[in-house]
Amino acid sequence: MNKFSIYILLILIYLGISKSYIPGHSRVVTVNHKNALTSLFKGAPFTVILIESFQVGLLIKSYFQKYKIIYGFKRPEIITVKTTKNFWDENLINQGMSIYRRRDTKLMGDELTPSPPGMIFVGDPAFGRWVYKKSGEKYWLFHRAYRNFPNYLGWDDFGLTYSFYRKAKLLNQQNKVFYGENNEFGLNGEVTLKAYPKKEETNVTESFKVHIKKFLTFKLRKDKKSE
């Protein structure tokens, strides 16, 4: 095999590997900045929670985010979007947080400041009510029809208090990020880590070897069939 053939083969291998690393590459929507989120979703109310950030590719990196969308009146869904490195880096710390919400269909209903998941539903009598515990503290309780919301939102057994709600609402009005009274949410937050445990990093060298082997095996089989 001459040098030119080797060069062509390496290009084909690289393209094959790069393509195989991109999940559903032909169907993935691109989000280059936070304002691009406003055109992706219709209706209201809903909250978009960042549940995973990952990158793919060996030489040329591609950056992806996975969102869980919790709607007020229909089942949740999960989507994956491709994004820029800057937007990806900017939101790494916001895993488990709501990075976009829409309260209503009016222009002022959009909120793009990261916030603990579910705050758009808290305080709304259509979804729940405040109840007093023995301690005298008020906690948010979803109505029976929305009893699965704590699981959808990644709260698990986290009890959201009225004081938590007030602080979150105040900081959101000031366009400031609130990760919780004790940083319960966000990349290293206790509640977030319980809902979305950190995944072990993939061994790039091993992945490269695996993909090379798969690609060459496929190519050899294809060559034999064409003989």
Side-chain angles (χ1 to χ4, degrees):
M1 185 179 290
N2 57 39
K3 291 183 178 180
F4 180 75
S5 298
I6 294 175
Y7 178 70
I8 294 298
L9 178 60
L10 289 174
I11 291 177
L12 290 174
I13 290 173
Y14 170 72
L15 291 175
I17 291 172
S18 297
K19 184 176 180 181
S20 67
Y21 262 108
I22 299 176
H25 60 281
S26 61
R27 300 184 298 277
V28 173
V29 175
T30 299
V31 175
N32 293 325
H33 49 78
K34 66 179 182 180
N35 291 323
L37 290 167
T38 61
S39 62
L40 287 183
F41 310 98
K42 296 181 179 180
F46 64 77
T47 183
V48 178
I49 303 170
L50 174 62
I51 61 173
E52 186 180 353
S53 299
F54 61 97
Q55 52 182 298
V56 300
L58 298 174
L59 300 179
I60 300 176
K61 299 291 186 182
S62 294
Y63 298 88
F64 295 86
Q65 294 175 329
K66 186 177 291 186
Y67 302 148
K68 180 191 289 185
I69 304 95
I70 311 298
Y71 298 94
F73 307 111
K74 64 179 183 178
R75 294 185 65 82
E77 64 176 329
I78 293 177
I79 66 170
T80 298
V81 302
K82 187 177 180 180
T83 188
T84 61
K85 185 178 188 304
N86 286 341
F87 189 62
W88 191 85
D89 286 337
E90 176 186 331
N91 282 285
L92 273 179
I93 194 173
N94 294 322
Q95 181 166 319
M97 299 276 282
S98 168
I99 60 172
Y100 172 51
R101 302 164 295 287
R102 182 180 295 152
R103 294 184 179 277
D104 51 54
T105 54
K106 298 177 183 178
L107 182 62
M108 298 301 292
D110 288 349
E111 298 178 0
L112 290 163
T113 302
S115 175
M119 299 310 300
I120 194 172
F121 304 117
V122 177
D124 187 335
F127 295 98
R129 59 192 176 88
W130 294 105
V131 296
Y132 282 95
K133 297 290 185 177
K134 291 182 179 180
S135 62
E137 181 76 82
K138 284 198 295 186
Y139 286 81
W140 180 253
L141 178 67
F142 281 105
H143 294 319
R144 184 175 179 80
Y146 302 101
R147 60 184 179 277
N148 290 323
F149 267 38
N151 290 330
Y152 292 158
L153 296 167
W155 287 9
D156 193 36
D157 56 357
F158 174 72
L160 195 144
T161 65
Y162 187 70
S163 62
F164 184 103
Y165 165 73
R166 288 287 301 273
K167 290 177 182 177
K169 186 175 182 180
L170 177 62
L171 289 176
N172 185 64
Q173 290 172 345
Q174 298 173 357
N175 294 319
K176 295 180 180 179
V177 182
F178 176 63
Y179 293 101
E181 294 175 305
N182 297 296
N183 293 316
E184 296 94 339
F185 296 93
L187 182 62
N188 297 308
E190 182 179 352
V191 176
T192 295
L193 287 174
K194 193 171 182 180
Y196 313 108
K198 289 184 178 180
K199 296 182 178 180
E200 293 183 6
E201 294 185 4
T202 303
N203 187 313
V204 176
T205 302
E206 290 301 316
S207 296
F208 182 81
K209 290 179 180 178
V210 169
H211 280 75
I212 286 287
K213 185 177 180 180
K214 286 182 178 179
F215 181 85
L216 291 177
T217 301
F218 172 78
K219 188 176 184 305
L220 288 172
R221 288 176 180 174
K222 188 175 181 180
D223 289 342
K224 287 182 179 179
K225 287 181 179 180
S226 61
E227 290 178 355

